[in-house]
């Protein structure tokens, strides 16, 4: 009965900042109080309060918020008050007479050892919790993430898409900020998504989708924020799990989680090793319109053979200096070694469409990387009501060394070996973070916050291209492409915000000030004249970023919300490095040091409703962005040694980007054995702007949808199917075709539920390919790209001293996710 009543209130209550239950016309008094865990005095979030009458019938109830507070409205009378939480002993107050608003004494619940051995919540598909400024998805329960990476797991989160080459977008916008435990992190790859492909999905506790960030968050990321919360067990004792997996194309891995918690300290570690073969392919058909081009039709077929080996570990210790103060030290280390081979077959056709040249180009690349991060967190709680001070220090380092040997030869009309190239790229990144946050509850429902954050980054990229003048000759440095680029980004930020609740109305208003300095320095030598070439910039700008989030409760299971925020997109790294890098002689990418920051103002109107077994989340959103980034392709006017025009891709600032859209998500659990969820996102964007005398304004409409069905079969077997579809889209130059992918997963519990065998098939139809067509005044390009082919993975998980999923939700993400600066 305890589990059933708890589940009912968990599904039917709205979880948000300072949230309380709504009222009905007959209710005229409020019963309030607080629930804490007996052993640690920590607030019990999501604990259930049940109000029954003298006949034993349930009258009403409520759920505690993040601080353990609850407020329940009821008619005056005599009632029995029960306090329940899965895995804890129930506490009952008999025959309580209420004639006016009453604050009951703090209730302390103790863990029920016998109950803990019995409670097992079977894994389910993605679950959603809604708060004032975010949606929380517990994707760790998704069967299709077994043996997958964090990047793979994110592709199952509503409103999020992961492109075939790993680019992450939120509501179709790639300018999304990725945080780990509320902070920028080496684990997220310093803004790149490469590291997320190496971290196992099993390390995730949950993902917070923050489309209307409050002032406590960085203003970076015009699309919003994805905050990945890593696992950290909160129950006493020694517990953990180990997972092994093997797959096709060749892949294998092992990862383990272990946690030791006592009354004085908590030690936690996640360690894993992965071996992964990721074959891919691409083809490009370029048609040049200039009649002077000797071979106007060029077809490239590429085959990617990628072998990745990486080791990562995350170790932390939390020490409780007192009942109210703790300090946490964590270290993250990742070591990677990749061996990649790209085989590029190029066919050139003359004006009569006769084959003129067949050329084979191979690129052998090695990538050795090392990332590490150290962080220190201090928390002191002045009382049990949420009054606290936190401070964080963090240092991160990322060293990457890539070497590429490029060999090329003609096989038609005759065999001819061509001069080779050798490229070395060394990149070192360092980042320092310091922040302090202060939270002060005011009265029963209000809360004040303020804080400071400083981020200081430096990256140095040393790129050297050497090439042979003749076959078999010495490698000579190409001074027109070789360079060293140093980039610095320093951001100082202060914020304050205030939230309160008046009856059914809640709000959270804040203001953030950020001052940013961007510096770039290029050291290079011109090919002609051997003169030093310095393309330097030093920009400094400040901005105010207001935020406002509102919620109005229409009923116990229904609310509407409105959010406003202003955000920034800073140009960085590859986007502003003016020296080109190339995947082929004829296709290059070049940064633009003249890029300015983009600013966006966004509005979000949301609606949530629960009907028994159905939960609906929906929203309408609008964004207006100035100086928006856009990648364009243009003819450089230069030719390869074979006379092929060189096409470059370059990012530019457009004048404006207007985006409007709507999204809806449904969770439906018609039976214990069947759980369904689906989401749909529709958006339209309109851009205006010109570059180099060419108008790149366009208007585009697109959408994407995903669905998931999970069936619980006999003999503890679960079956899950995920389907994703992204509709066609276009910008001023390029039309992108639709993408469909299907994934299947099966799991079976064994060894008294301490073990689980899982099997999943990613991209069942082998259809996850990006297909696009680009049309400019000088050329057209038709392309298809597949990052990784269909894969099959078999996994085994063993848990010791823990069940498949403990009933107790995480509280405040280990202190990192609720009050970020």
């Amino acid at each position: 009965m305890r589990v059933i009543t708890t589940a009912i209130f968990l599904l039917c209550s709205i979880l948000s900042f300072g949230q309380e239950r709504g009222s009905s016309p007959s209710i005229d008094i409020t019963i309030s109080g607080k629930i804490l865990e007996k052993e640690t005095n920590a607030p019990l979030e999501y604990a259930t309060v049940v109000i029954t009458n003298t006949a034993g019938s349930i009258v009403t109830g409520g759920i505690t918020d993040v601080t353990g507070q609850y407020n329940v409205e009821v008619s005056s009378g005599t009632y029995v008050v029960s306090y329940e939480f899965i895995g804890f002993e129930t506490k009952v107050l008999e025959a309580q007479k209420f004639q006016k608003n009453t604050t009951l004494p703090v209730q302390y619940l103790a863990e029920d050892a016998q109950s803990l051995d019995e409670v097992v919540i079977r894994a389910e598909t993605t679950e959603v919790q809604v708060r004032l400024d975010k949606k929380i998805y517990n994707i760790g329960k998704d069967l299709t993430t077994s043996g997958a990476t964090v990047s793979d797991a994110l592709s199952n989160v509503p409103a999020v898409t992961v492109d075939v080459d790993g680019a992450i977008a939120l509501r179709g916008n790639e300018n999304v900020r990725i945080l780990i435990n509320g902070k920028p992190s080496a684990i997220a790859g310093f803004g790149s998504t490469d590291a997320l492909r190496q971290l196992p999905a099993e390390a995730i506790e949950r993902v917070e989708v923050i489309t209307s960030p409050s002032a406590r968050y960085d203003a970076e990321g015009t699309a919003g924020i994805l905050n990945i919360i890593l696992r950290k067990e909160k129950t006493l004792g020694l517990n953990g799990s180990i997972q092994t997996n093997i797959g096709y194309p060749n892949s294998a891995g092992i990862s383990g989680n272990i946690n030791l918690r006592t009354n004085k300290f908590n030690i936690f570690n996640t360690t894993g090793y992965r071996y992964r073969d990721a074959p891919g392919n691409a083809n490009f058909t370029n048609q040049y319109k200039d009649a002077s081009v000797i071979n106007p039709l060029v077809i490239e077929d590429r085959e990617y053979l990628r072998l990745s080996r990486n080791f990562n570990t995350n170790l932390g210790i939390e020490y409780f200096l007192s009942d109210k103060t703790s300090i946490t030290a964590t270290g993250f280390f990742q070591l990677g070694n990749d061996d990649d081979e790209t085989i590029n077959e190029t066919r050139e056709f003359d004006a009569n469409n006769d084959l003129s040249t067949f050329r084979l180009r191979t690129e052998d690349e090695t990538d050795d990387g090392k990332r590490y991060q150290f962080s220190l967190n201090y928390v002191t709680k002045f009382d049990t009501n949420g009054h606290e001070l936190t401070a964080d220090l963090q240092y991160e380092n990322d060293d990457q060394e890539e070497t590429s040997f490029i060999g090329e030869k003609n096989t038609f009309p005759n065999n001819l070996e061509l001069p080779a190239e050798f490229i070395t790229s060394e990149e070192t990144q360092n980042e320092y973070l310091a922040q302090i946050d202060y939270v002060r509850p005011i009265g029963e429902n209000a809360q004040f916050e303020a804080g400071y954050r400083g981020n200081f980054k430096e990256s140095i990229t040393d790129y050297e291209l050497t090439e042979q003048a003749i076959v078999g000759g010495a490698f000579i440095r190409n001074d027109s492409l070789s360079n060293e680029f140093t980039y610095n980004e320093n951001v100082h930020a202060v914020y304050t915000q205030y939230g309160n609740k008046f009856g059914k109305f809640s709000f959270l208003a804040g203001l953030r000030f950020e001052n940013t300095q961007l510096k770039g320095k290029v050291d290079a030598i011109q090919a002609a004249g051997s003169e030093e070439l310095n393309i330097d910039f030093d920009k400094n700008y400040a901005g105010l970023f207001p935020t406002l989030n509102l919620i109005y409760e229409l009923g116990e299971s229904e609310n509407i919300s409105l959010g406003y925020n202003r955000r920034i997109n800073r140009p960085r790294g590859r986007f502003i490095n003016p020296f080109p890098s190339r995947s082929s002689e004829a296709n290059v990418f070049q940064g633009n040091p003249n890029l300015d920051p983009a600013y966006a103002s966004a509005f979000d109107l949301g609606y949530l409703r629960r009907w028994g077994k159905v939960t609906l989340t929906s929203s309408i959103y609008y964004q207006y962005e100035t100086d928006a980034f856009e990648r364009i392709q243009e003819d450089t006017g230069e030719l390869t040694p074979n006379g092929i025009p060189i096409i470059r891709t370059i990012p530019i600032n457009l004048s404006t980007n207007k985006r409007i859209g709507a999204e809806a998500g449904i969770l439906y659990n018609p039976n214990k054995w069947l759980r369904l969820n689906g989401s749909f996102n529709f958006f339209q964007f309109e851009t205006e702007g010109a570059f180099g005398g060419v108008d790149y304004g366009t208007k585009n409409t697109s959408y994407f949808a995903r669905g998931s069905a999970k069936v619980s079969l006999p003999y503890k077997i679960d079956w899950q199917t995920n389907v994703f579809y992204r509709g066609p889209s276009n910008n001023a130059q390029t039309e992108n075709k639709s993408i469909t992918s299907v994934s299947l997963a099966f799991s079976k519990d064994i060894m008294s539920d301490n073990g689980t065998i899982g099997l999943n098939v990613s991209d069942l139809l082998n259809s996850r390919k990006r297909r696009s067509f680009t049309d400019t005044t000088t050329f057209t390009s038709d392309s298809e790209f597949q990052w990784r082919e269909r894969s099959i993975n078999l996994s085994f998980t063993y848990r010791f001293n823990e069940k498949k999923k403990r009933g107790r939700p995480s509280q405040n993400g280990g202190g990192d996710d609720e009050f970020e600066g």
Side-chain angles (χ1 to χ4, degrees):
M1 180 65 185
R2 183 193 316 172
V3 175
I4 294 175
T5 54
T6 301
I8 291 172
F9 287 116
L10 281 171
L11 290 172
C12 298
S13 298
I14 300 165
L15 307 177
S16 62
F17 173 85
Q19 185 173 345
E20 301 144 18
R21 286 185 62 92
S23 59
S24 60
S26 62
I27 294 175
D28 54 14
I29 68 169
T30 300
I31 302 170
S32 59
K34 191 168 191 175
I35 304 177
L36 304 179
E37 182 182 355
K38 186 174 183 180
E39 299 227 3
T40 64
N41 284 333
L44 276 178
E45 185 183 3
Y46 316 133
T48 305
V49 182
V50 181
I51 308 295
T52 57
N53 57 26
T54 54
S57 300
I58 296 177
V59 176
T60 186
I63 294 176
T64 56
D65 60 19
V66 295
T67 65
Q69 299 278 357
Y70 65 88
N71 289 272
V72 179
E73 295 179 342
V74 68
S75 301
S76 58
T78 300
Y79 301 100
V80 175
V81 183
S82 301
Y83 302 95
E84 303 177 356
F85 194 84
I86 298 176
F88 283 71
E89 296 178 353
T90 297
K91 196 167 187 178
V92 179
L93 301 181
E94 300 283 357
Q96 301 294 306
K97 190 173 183 179
F98 301 109
Q99 299 296 332
K100 60 181 181 179
N101 293 342
T102 304
T103 300
L104 292 172
V106 175
Q107 303 298 317
Y108 297 88
L109 300 188
E111 292 192 51
D112 184 346
Q114 181 178 357
S115 176
L116 285 176
D117 290 336
E118 297 173 352
V119 175
V120 177
I121 298 180
R122 296 185 59 78
E124 298 169 2
T125 55
T126 301
E127 294 180 342
V128 61
Q129 301 168 7
V130 178
R131 294 195 182 165
L132 196 59
D133 60 346
K134 71 185 75 171
K135 293 183 179 73
I136 302 173
Y137 295 94
N138 296 310
I139 68 171
K141 297 183 179 182
D142 199 313
L143 300 184
T144 58
T145 66
S146 178
T149 67
V150 169
S151 182
D152 297 327
L154 289 176
S155 65
N156 290 337
V157 177
V160 178
T161 55
V162 180
D163 205 351
V164 292
D165 55 358
I168 298 172
L170 181 59
R171 291 173 168 174
N173 188 343
E174 291 186 4
N175 184 29
V176 56
R177 179 69 158 164
I178 299 176
L179 304 178
I180 303 293
N181 293 335
K183 305 176 185 65
S185 173
I187 303 176
F190 294 92
S192 166
T193 60
D194 292 342
L196 298 180
R197 292 190 188 139
Q198 301 174 1
L199 194 67
E202 289 75 20
I204 303 176
E205 173 70 25
R206 64 184 184 275
V207 173
E208 298 178 347
V209 178
I210 309 172
T211 53
S212 183
S214 63
R216 68 167 67 96
Y217 295 100
D218 283 338
E220 175 71 30
T222 54
I225 294 172
L226 292 179
N227 186 22
I228 301 171
I229 306 300
L230 301 182
R231 290 185 177 183
K232 185 171 69 171
E233 186 61 55
K234 290 187 165 294
T235 53
L236 296 176
L238 176 68
N239 52 74
S241 65
I242 186 169
Q243 182 181 81
T244 60
N245 63 80
I246 187 170
Y248 177 83
N250 294 336
S251 67
I254 181 170
S255 63
N257 297 285
I258 190 168
N259 194 96
L260 175 62
R261 183 182 178 101
T262 71
N263 290 326
K264 285 300 289 185
F265 63 85
N266 185 26
I267 300 175
F268 48 95
N269 174 252
T270 299
T271 298
Y273 175 80
R274 294 180 62 85
Y275 173 99
R276 196 179 200 194
D277 192 0
N281 58 82
N283 61 72
F284 304 84
T285 301
N286 293 343
Q287 181 79 53
Y288 299 96
K289 300 178 181 180
D290 190 341
S292 64
V293 178
I294 299 175
N295 297 322
L297 175 62
V298 179
I299 299 176
E300 294 185 19
D301 292 309
R302 297 182 193 172
E303 181 182 6
Y304 303 98
L305 304 174
R306 308 184 191 90
L307 178 61
S308 174
R309 297 171 291 262
N310 63 80
F311 167 84
N312 64 79
T313 184
N314 186 45
L315 174 65
I317 179 169
E318 181 179 12
Y319 184 75
F320 305 101
L321 300 173
S322 68
D323 291 341
K324 297 182 179 180
T325 303
S326 68
I327 187 168
T328 303
T330 58
F332 170 79
F333 177 76
Q334 186 175 77
L335 192 64
N337 174 253
D338 295 348
D339 290 318
D340 302 337
E341 181 182 12
T342 302
I343 302 171
N344 194 345
E345 296 180 345
T346 302
R347 290 170 289 162
E348 300 175 10
F349 297 84
D350 60 23
N352 296 319
N353 283 335
D354 294 327
L355 181 64
S356 173
T357 303
F358 188 96
R359 188 167 58 257
L360 178 65
R361 178 185 175 97
T362 60
E363 179 178 357
D364 293 309
E365 179 181 345
T366 63
D367 184 354
D368 295 322
K370 179 176 64 177
R371 293 184 175 95
Y372 58 88
Q373 169 185 299
F374 301 103
S375 60
L376 197 64
N377 169 261
Y378 171 84
V379 179
T380 184
K381 301 178 183 293
F382 300 103
D383 55 32
T384 59
N385 297 317
H387 184 197
E388 66 178 31
L389 176 72
T390 62
D392 292 273
L393 295 173
Q394 186 170 287
Y395 168 71
E396 305 168 6
N397 174 271
D398 185 2
D399 290 320
Q400 301 285 330
E401 181 178 355
E402 298 180 5
T403 60
S404 298
F405 179 83
I406 301 174
E408 194 167 8
K409 65 179 180 179
N410 287 338
T411 60
F412 182 85
N414 49 52
N415 286 318
L416 177 64
E417 194 80 22
L418 300 175
E421 299 178 1
F422 186 76
I423 300 173
T424 301
S425 178
E426 297 180 2
E427 184 174 12
T428 300
Q429 302 185 71
N430 290 281
E431 179 174 351
Y432 301 86
L433 177 144
Q435 80 176 59
I436 187 168
D437 300 281
Y438 176 73
V439 182
R440 177 62 187 265
I442 302 173
E444 187 174 341
N445 297 318
Q447 181 165 294
F448 168 81
E449 298 180 42
Y452 161 83
R453 171 180 284 180
N455 266 86
F456 314 98
K457 307 176 185 178
E458 181 181 74
S459 66
I460 301 174
T461 303
D462 190 347
Y463 180 86
E464 183 181 62
L465 170 64
T466 60
E467 52 193 353
Q468 294 175 325
I470 59 173
V471 176
F475 285 87
I476 302 172
R477 189 177 192 269
N478 185 324
D479 291 331
S480 64
L481 292 177
S482 302
N483 68 93
E484 182 178 280
F485 178 59
T486 303
Y487 172 74
N488 293 91
E489 177 183 304
N490 300 320
V491 181
H492 295 273
V494 292
Y495 81 95
T496 183
Q497 64 182 19
Y498 174 79
N500 207 338
K501 176 170 178 134
F502 303 96
K504 299 181 180 182
F505 175 76
S506 303
F507 76 90
L508 181 62
L511 182 65
R512 188 178 185 92
F513 171 81
E514 292 192 353
N515 184 82
T516 304
Q517 181 187 41
L518 299 181
K519 297 175 64 176
K521 178 177 174 59
V522 177
D523 291 324
I525 300 175
Q526 291 179 346
S530 297
E531 298 177 357
E532 289 189 358
L533 176 65
N534 291 312
I535 306 175
D536 302 340
F537 60 89
D538 189 346
K539 302 178 181 180
N540 194 299
Y541 45 89
L544 288 173
F545 302 92
T547 64
L548 179 64
N549 289 286
L550 312 172
I551 280 187
Y552 183 75
E553 300 173 25
L554 300 173
E556 293 182 359
S557 303
E558 184 181 20
N559 68 37
I560 56 174
S561 60
L562 177 65
Y564 163 77
N565 64 91
R566 183 174 187 259
R567 302 190 62 75
I568 186 174
N569 184 11
R570 302 180 181 92
R572 53 166 54 87
R574 183 168 176 255
F575 265 42
I576 53 179
N577 187 342
F579 280 81
S581 60
R582 53 183 177 175
S583 56
S584 73
E585 284 188 308
N587 294 280
V588 301
F589 180 92
Q590 184 173 0
N592 179 5
N594 295 318
L595 274 182
D596 291 320
Y599 293 90
S601 293
F603 299 85
D604 191 296
L605 178 64
Y607 174 74
L608 179 144
R609 177 69 189 269
R610 291 187 172 96
W611 301 270
K613 299 178 180 180
V614 179
T615 300
L616 168 70
T617 59
S618 61
S619 63
I620 299 173
Y621 53 90
Y622 172 78
Q623 183 184 81
Y624 181 82
E625 185 175 7
T626 58
D627 289 328
F629 299 165
E630 181 69 46
R631 281 174 286 193
I632 65 169
Q633 288 182 295
E634 62 179 9
D635 192 334
T636 62
E638 301 176 0
L639 302 176
T640 70
N642 300 308
I644 302 300
I646 297 176
I647 306 301
R648 74 170 179 178
T649 301
I650 185 172
I652 64 170
N653 286 115
L654 289 182
S655 297
T656 61
N657 184 352
K658 301 175 185 177
R659 180 181 294 264
I660 186 169
E663 64 183 4
I666 293 180
L667 299 175
Y668 178 44
N669 302 329
N671 298 285
K672 291 182 179 180
W673 57 269
L674 178 62
R675 300 179 185 276
L676 307 171
N677 75 60
S679 62
F680 179 81
N681 199 302
F682 172 88
F683 56 89
Q684 179 184 86
F685 65 84
E686 181 178 359
T687 59
E688 298 178 357
F691 180 78
V694 179
D695 184 5
Y696 291 102
T698 188
K699 189 174 183 179
N700 176 50
T701 298
S702 188
Y703 60 93
F704 60 88
R706 57 166 45 87
S708 176
K710 177 177 172 294
V711 180
S712 295
L713 302 172
Y715 306 107
K716 297 184 178 180
I717 297 176
D718 288 330
W719 167 26
Q720 184 176 323
T721 302
N722 287 0
V723 179
F724 173 79
Y725 176 81
R726 187 176 71 186
S729 63
N730 65 273
N731 58 24
Q733 291 184 316
T734 303
E735 176 186 350
N736 296 300
K737 299 180 181 179
S738 62
I739 295 177
T740 303
S741 65
V742 178
S743 297
L744 293 179
F746 298 88
S747 75
K748 175 174 172 54
D749 293 338
I750 59 176
M751 305 169 66
S752 301
D753 291 338
N754 289 317
T756 302
I757 297 175
L759 174 68
N760 67 61
V761 182
S762 178
D763 194 12
L764 177 69
L765 305 178
N766 203 36
S767 58
R768 199 161 183 259
K769 302 176 182 180
R770 181 177 60 206
R771 298 170 297 160
S772 61
F773 179 76
T774 299
D775 189 2
T776 73
T777 57
T778 60
F779 71 94
T780 62
S781 179
D782 198 350
S783 66
E784 181 178 280
F785 177 71
Q786 183 178 28
W787 174 263
R788 189 169 193 257
E789 299 170 3
R790 174 177 50 231
S791 61
I792 303 172
N793 186 79
L794 178 67
S795 65
F796 171 70
T797 303
Y798 177 75
R799 293 167 291 274
F800 57 93
N801 295 338
E802 66 174 30
K803 289 296 183 181
K804 188 171 183 181
K805 183 66 182 176
R806 294 293 297 272
R808 179 179 175 183
S810 170
Q811 298 166 2
N812 299 338
D816 291 331
D817 61 314
E818 287 301 324
F819 303 110
E820 299 87 350

